[in-house]
Amino acid sequence: MSYRNFDLKNGRNLTMLTDFYEITMGNGYFKNNVGEQIAYFDMFFRKIPDDGGYCILSGLEQVIAYLQALNFNDDDIKYLRDKNLFDENFLTYLKNFKFSCDVWAVPEGNPVFPNEPLIIVRGPVIQAQFVETMILLTINHQTLIATKASRICNAASGRSVLEFGSRRAQGYDGSIFGARASYIGGCAATSCTIAEELFDIPASGTMAHSWVQLFDSEYDAFKAWADVYPENCSLLVDTYNVLKSGLPNAIKVFNELSSKGFKPKSIRIDSGDITYLTKECRKALDSAGFHDVKILVSNSLDEYIIQEVLRQGAQIDMFGVGERLITAKSEPVFGGVYKLTATEIHGNVIPKIKISENQEKIINPGFKKIYRIFDKKTDIAQADLIALYDEEIDFSSPIEIFDPVYTWKRKKITDYYVKDLLVKVFDNGNLIYKSPSVQEIASYSKKELGKLWPEILRLENPHIYYVDLSEKLWNVKNDMLMSYSNKF
């Protein structure tokens, strides 16, 4: 039986896009009269994909839209009632549901690191628990793709990267929001047309091989294209043979365009030995006087291939990257988690901790904030410090940060300034934060990424960025661990 019209054309209510146990726990909280208990949840991740040195946060705008639209309609209530699992008073609660939590978040585009709270939700535990799934899937997906895009763009060393992955994405949302995240991560444009319509991200594309195949000759195909797009003529030259057919025909058409006063734009190569072909194409184009014609390459590229062909001297101006970007193929899961870190009774915050035999799964307890510490002279980020919300730290004095791997090593920082990374987004369910445009986020991200040491941006064996706990938070965590250790 269908309860909801999942209508793509007229918009979707995603309230019920949740793990079922969020609802069963909500019913359990309600029945035990603890549903209004104030709880704090942190969304964070433990490991950087591809063994990289950083991640780029993306997806907050979509989280905000989801939280603003939360409501249970009659179809939802009927579906839940028919499960014969839920208290009728709980269903009435859901029918009258109004989101009333406080939310803090790190703004989109910021470089972020393991175990830092990217989003903090404070509010009635039924509500704060319920939003877990959508926060995770939204931030996990877009942060994964933005991070992959950033790695690829860094490997391209200033050359434009175009996101070409729509047809390989994991569904239409993967394509649309993957394009958004790719742009935040540094891509110059996307092949996804609707992404431009929705987010004003430049959409780009020329022809497929089928265009060339349709005409009686490659020259006829190129000439027809040039007649339609004389001011933006970009030709795909590898349908038959790049050097013996495609490039000579492209140069012939480019000469005809030039005689009419138009400047040809580019050629694209989608197969073959990229390094060899681009070198030969560059020589031929330059010899023909087309020094300004760009060479665009595609065909299952990623950051490692891009880095290697450039090292070999490939003559490439632009990269079109598809499936390995839009699916983050090398490591397609971003392991963000959402954990209870505190409760609140009569205004007093009570830290909570999850303990595991796997050390990396032991969470940092309490209601927290994050400080990023910058060198005053260079503006380079030196470290992040996670502290308790009510902790007073003397930032007028030198500060010592422990190495995240070699914990016996300390880094003493002097002559610095700090920035509080978390901003308040919702106050008692009311939105108080204005999301920047995607263009503003991408520009901001590029700027902030430039404040990291180049060693952190390395593709392989990057330097590990310092993230430390304040002394007070470390003591709270250690005392709780010792307390539980004595119990068991």
Side-chain angles (χ1 to χ4, degrees), residues 10 74 77 93 129 136 150 165 180 200 202 270 374 376 388 411 433:
N10 296 314
D74 291 341
I77 301 302
Y93 167 85
Q129 181 82 69
L136 285 175
S150 180
R180 179 185 187 273
D200 201 26
D270 191 49
F374 296 88
K376 273 187 179 180
L388 292 170
K411 181 176 185 177
Y433 174 80

Side-chain angles (χ1 to χ4, degrees), residues 162-212:
L162 315 178
E163 182 273 303
F164 276 5
S166 290
R167 65 190 61 188
R168 299 284 192 264
Q170 311 290 13
Y172 30 78
D173 281 346
S175 174
I176 294 168
F177 295 114
R180 179 185 187 273
S182 296
Y183 190 73
I184 289 171
C187 289
T190 177
S191 65
C192 183
T193 309
I194 195 173
E196 180 168 45
E197 190 174 19
L198 292 172
F199 307 118
D200 201 26
I201 297 169
S204 176
T206 54
M207 63 175 67
H209 294 107
S210 55
W211 172 276
V212 180

Side-chain angles (χ1 to χ4, degrees), residues 111-408:
V112 289
F113 303 94
N115 300 310
E116 299 179 331
L118 308 183
I119 295 179
I120 298 174
V121 179
R122 172 200 175 274
V125 66
I126 290 180
Q127 297 189 26
Q129 181 82 69
F130 181 81
V131 299
E132 172 183 8
T133 303
M134 274 295 285
I135 287 177
L136 285 175
L137 77 87
T138 304
I139 299 297
N140 280 348
H141 171 244
Q142 288 201 45
T143 301
L144 176 71
I145 304 305
T147 302
K148 188 67 168 179
S150 180
R151 287 170 57 83
I152 290 170
C153 291
N154 286 339
S157 299
R159 298 162 180 84
S160 294
V161 175
L162 315 178
E163 182 273 303
F164 276 5
S166 290
R167 65 190 61 188
R168 299 284 192 264
Q170 311 290 13
Y172 30 78
D173 281 346
S175 174
I176 294 168
F177 295 114
R180 179 185 187 273
S182 296
Y183 190 73
I184 289 171
C187 289
T190 177
S191 65
C192 183
T193 309
I194 195 173
E196 180 168 45
E197 190 174 19
L198 292 172
F199 307 118
D200 201 26
I201 297 169
S204 176
T206 54
M207 63 175 67
H209 294 107
S210 55
W211 172 276
V212 180
Q213 293 172 272
L214 186 68
F215 290 82
D216 292 337
S217 73
E218 195 171 37
Y219 168 76
D220 289 338
F222 290 171
K223 186 177 185 305
W225 189 266
D227 288 342
V228 177
Y229 303 106
E231 295 182 344
N232 189 30
C233 186
S234 300
L235 301 176
L236 177 62
V237 298
D238 74 323
T239 303
Y240 304 118
N241 186 294
V242 173
L243 300 179
K244 293 181 179 180
S245 172
L247 185 61
N249 281 315
I251 289 174
K252 184 177 180 180
V253 170
F254 288 165
N255 278 320
E256 294 169 359
L257 271 177
S258 295
S259 69
K260 298 174 184 177
F262 298 105
K263 287 187 174 182
K265 297 294 184 183
S266 65
I267 62 169
R268 178 163 73 95
I269 302 171
D270 191 49
S271 60
D273 187 319
I274 291 173
T275 301
Y276 169 72
L277 290 175
T278 58
K279 286 180 179 180
E280 294 301 308
C281 286
R282 185 73 270 159
K283 285 191 287 188
L285 288 167
D286 288 349
S287 294
F290 296 114
H291 303 277
D292 294 333
V293 168
K294 306 295 185 186
I295 299 176
L296 166 65
V297 300
S298 49
N299 187 28
S300 297
L301 301 172
D302 62 17
E303 62 267 46
Y304 298 106
I305 294 173
I306 289 171
Q307 185 179 68
E308 182 61 15
V309 298
L310 291 179
R311 186 190 66 79
Q312 294 171 353
Q315 298 296 299
I316 301 169
D317 301 292
M318 298 179 288
F319 295 93
V321 187
E323 63 185 57
R324 298 188 184 188
L325 166 54
I326 205 66
T327 65
K329 185 178 180 181
S330 57
E331 191 164 342
V333 176
F334 190 81
V337 295
Y338 189 82
K339 299 297 181 184
L340 178 73
T341 59
T343 58
E344 184 180 317
I345 298 177
H346 304 306
N348 296 315
V349 178
I350 303 167
K352 298 288 184 178
I353 193 168
K354 175 188 178 296
I355 297 177
S356 171
E357 293 184 4
N358 298 326
Q359 185 174 347
E360 69 274 10
K361 289 194 171 184
I362 300 174
I363 69 171
N364 294 320
F367 176 29
K368 297 175 286 293
K369 52 190 174 183
I370 313 168
Y371 295 107
R372 182 153 293 167
I373 305 169
F374 296 88
D375 185 279
K376 273 187 179 180
K377 294 178 181 177
T378 64
D379 266 351
I380 296 295
Q382 302 296 300
D384 286 1
L385 183 67
I386 307 174
L388 292 170
Y389 76 104
D390 59 351
E391 190 171 355
E392 295 294 331
I393 299 175
D394 182 9
F395 287 124
S396 64
S397 302
I399 190 168
E400 286 190 332
I401 302 291
F402 282 85
D403 186 292
V405 177
Y406 306 104
T407 54
W408 49 270

Side-chain angles (χ1 to χ4, degrees), residues 454-474:
E455 292 82 359
I456 294 169
L457 307 182
R458 280 198 304 251
L459 295 184
E460 297 185 61
N461 299 316
H463 178 75
I464 296 176
Y465 183 79
Y466 281 67
V467 178
D468 197 8
L469 306 184
S470 69
E471 183 176 359
K472 184 175 180 181
L473 176 54
W474 190 92

